[in-house]
Amino acid sequence: MSTLNSSGPQTADAPTPDDAFHEATGLDARESQPPHGSGDGDGPVLAADGRPLKQSLKRALRAQKLRALMLIAPLLIFVLVTFIAPIADMLFRSVENQIVSDTLPRTTQALAGWDEDSGAMPPDNILAAFTYDMVAAAERKEHTRLGTRLNYEMTGISSLFRKTGRRVDDFGETYLDQFEALDPAWEEAKTWVRLMGDPDWLAANADWAAEADAAGRDFDKPAPPFELKPGIAAALPETADAYAEFARITQVEDEDNPAEEEPWAPVYLALFRDLAKQPAPDFAALAAPDRALLAPAAQAVPDFETVALADLYIKADEDWADPEVWKTIKAFSPDYTSGYFLASVDLQKTVDGVSAQPEDRQIYMLLFKRTLFMSMVIMGSCVLLGYPIAYLLSNLPMRTSNLLLILVLLPFWTSLLVRTSAWKVLLQQQGVINDILVWAHIVADDARLVMINNQFGTIVAMTHILLPFMILPLYSVMKTIPPSYVRAAKSLGATNWTAFWRVYFPQSVPGIGAGCILVFILAIGYYITPELVGGTTGTFISNRIAYHISSSLNWGLAAALGTILLAVVLILYWLYDRLVGIDNVSLG
């Protein structure tokens, strides 16, 4: 006899494609084994379309998973774009430092071998590399961004780069004048382009220029990218490098033809340095016209008037004589740096290692401690104020509790700025609260309480703003607690306090946990209310992050501060899970 009750409800799970797949797999395995004493068994079970059942079920499962993936794809893409991608970008910005190496590629390579303990400016070879980088950066308008970046590490570098960027294109004029006096051909753009340009590029560029002249303003065909002549870089390495940079910027940034533009003065500096090297450069691999141009120049270079690059930089700004400037450039030459994270904990990265920030710049650890402390106080205040309100709402008749719940939700219908501004009116020394205290003779008129632009004002305003986020989870949990439990405890002899503390309160703990998490996470990231009512002692670390994003534009430091704040929140979340248990959090 069957033990199943055919009249009762069916409690067995419905068959799924997975069950059929496993059953078919087992069936195939059984049928693939020959019976005892016989030859090969029958073939696999076939589906209606003639395919093996196992293969058909695999296709069905694959199609089912693809449909499920398509259903969640919009949400997955939304989370990736709005949550994962910004966090990944923040983590990258907190260590990214490529602006120095990208803007000063020659300088960073040359500084690697410089002895920063010499107490003097770098030698001419490093200053020459810096000159080529600076004139290119000034033409691309990137030297100010680089100065701003390094100014985060050493105050004053930003103005140093701005001033020098306006003058660096004159560095080398002494040699420009002497080369032109030696041979007027050096003044002509076609001399340079014929000396440096690849013959194939020269032909392509000439054709492009002819097409541009014929087409006029409607011509939008890009010019062929400049290419160096084979062998010229081996004979004149610095000159070829500097001129190639000039040609690329002339084409890309200025949208001009390098065959029609005289090179920068630093290109003549590079030519002088190449021709003055010992042993003398070898021109044997160059064509006869190039040798005829360069040989007289090489013979005349020893008699040229020279000028020290260090003197040119000191003349532009005497701060270049400070070795600390060059140490800062060298220290932040790598593509990735820990400097932002060190600055976030009041440390700084130097060539000599990690050291503490000056006392007048040690503010971030104080802000982190203040943020955590005040967030905890606000969370505790919301628990103390919200628990009785939620208890009252959950035990009143439904009609009355719904009416009072509307009053709890009413602040959500008012702008955050309006609510914060209202507290400024209430809490200021000539505000409503102080006027009432003076009228009631609780405080003297000349001793009004200072309740705004400090920590007290921030705590009061944020407690009022975040209180609904504590009440709602508590109310939703308390509403599910059966009143019969408390009545049963009282019927067994428990007092009102004992029944509440031993029976009711433990069941409301999940609501407290949910409210605490909501309030604390919101409080730790608030910046509008502390900015308006916090003054100098009531601001959070989030206010500093907002400042660096919108005002100082130090996004790297802002990203590092945000990353540390995120790490602190995750650690506290982990501790909460270990001590209380995230499973105990409930919204009812």
Side-chain angles (χ1 to χ4, degrees), residues 231-503:
I232 194 66
L236 304 171
E238 286 191 31
T239 310
D241 184 36
Y243 185 84
E245 187 78 48
F246 156 77
R248 283 191 292 268
I249 291 179
T250 300
Q251 287 185 314
V252 177
E253 304 294 333
D254 302 335
E255 298 183 352
D256 289 328
N257 188 351
E260 301 174 356
E261 300 292 330
E262 184 181 3
W264 305 321
V267 177
Y268 291 89
L269 166 66
L271 178 61
F272 169 79
R273 287 177 52 82
D274 278 333
L275 295 178
K277 287 179 181 177
Q278 296 296 330
D282 184 11
F283 304 136
L286 300 180
D290 297 338
R291 294 198 301 270
L293 181 67
L294 293 171
Q299 294 176 358
V301 157
D303 298 327
F304 274 18
E305 176 189 354
T306 60
V307 58
L309 284 173
D311 294 339
L312 292 176
Y313 278 99
I314 293 174
K315 184 178 180 181
D317 195 308
E318 60 184 10
D319 287 343
W320 285 115
D322 185 1
E324 294 299 321
V325 173
W326 301 97
K327 289 182 179 180
T328 302
I329 296 175
K330 180 178 180 179
F332 290 90
S333 295
D335 291 343
Y336 302 97
T337 179
S338 60
Y340 292 125
F341 280 103
L342 293 175
S344 299
V345 292
D346 295 332
L347 300 174
Q348 60 181 344
K349 178 183 178 181
T350 65
V351 177
D352 301 325
V354 178
S355 61
Q357 292 274 12
E359 290 189 6
D360 59 342
R361 299 181 62 182
Q362 295 181 10
I363 60 173
Y364 295 115
M365 290 304 296
L366 173 64
L367 287 176
F368 274 118
K369 294 176 183 177
R370 179 192 299 169
T371 300
L372 292 175
F373 169 74
M374 293 182 64
S375 297
M376 291 288 186
V377 172
I378 293 167
M379 181 187 70
S381 301
C382 288
V383 172
L384 294 177
L385 294 175
Y387 196 95
I389 297 174
Y391 180 82
L392 179 65
L393 291 174
S394 63
N395 286 278
L396 285 175
M398 181 64 69
R399 184 183 181 87
T400 306
S401 66
N402 287 340
L403 180 62
L404 295 179
L405 192 60
I406 293 176
L407 298 180
V408 173
L409 298 175
L410 190 61
F412 288 123
W413 304 338
T414 308
S415 168
L416 176 63
L417 292 176
V418 172
R419 284 179 280 166
T420 304
S421 300
W423 279 111
K424 288 181 68 72
V425 174
L426 291 171
L427 296 176
Q428 60 183 330
Q429 285 187 289
Q430 302 300 323
V432 176
I433 295 177
N434 266 303
D435 286 345
I436 293 175
L437 294 176
V438 171
W439 174 78
H441 301 288
I442 298 176
V443 298
D445 188 38
D446 58 350
R448 290 172 174 255
L449 301 179
V450 180
M451 297 181 291
I452 199 70
N453 296 329
N454 52 27
Q455 292 188 12
F456 178 80
T458 301
I459 292 171
V460 170
M462 288 188 62
T463 299
H464 166 249
I465 291 170
L466 297 178
L467 187 58
F469 294 97
M470 179 65 71
I471 295 175
L472 293 177
L474 283 170
Y475 170 74
S476 62
V477 171
M478 291 178 177
K479 199 66 177 175
T480 63
I481 300 176
S484 58
Y485 289 2
V486 175
R487 291 196 297 267
K490 292 180 180 179
S491 68
L492 294 175
T495 62
N496 289 336
W497 171 252
T498 302
F500 169 79
W501 186 250
R502 298 289 298 275
V503 177

Side-chain angles (χ1 to χ4, degrees), residues 152-170:
Y152 301 147
E153 314 301 334
M154 183 178 181
T155 304
I157 289 187
S158 179
S159 61
L160 194 61
F161 272 78
R162 282 199 305 271
K163 291 172 62 177
T164 308
R166 293 192 293 266
R167 302 183 183 184
V168 70
D169 57 348
D170 295 333

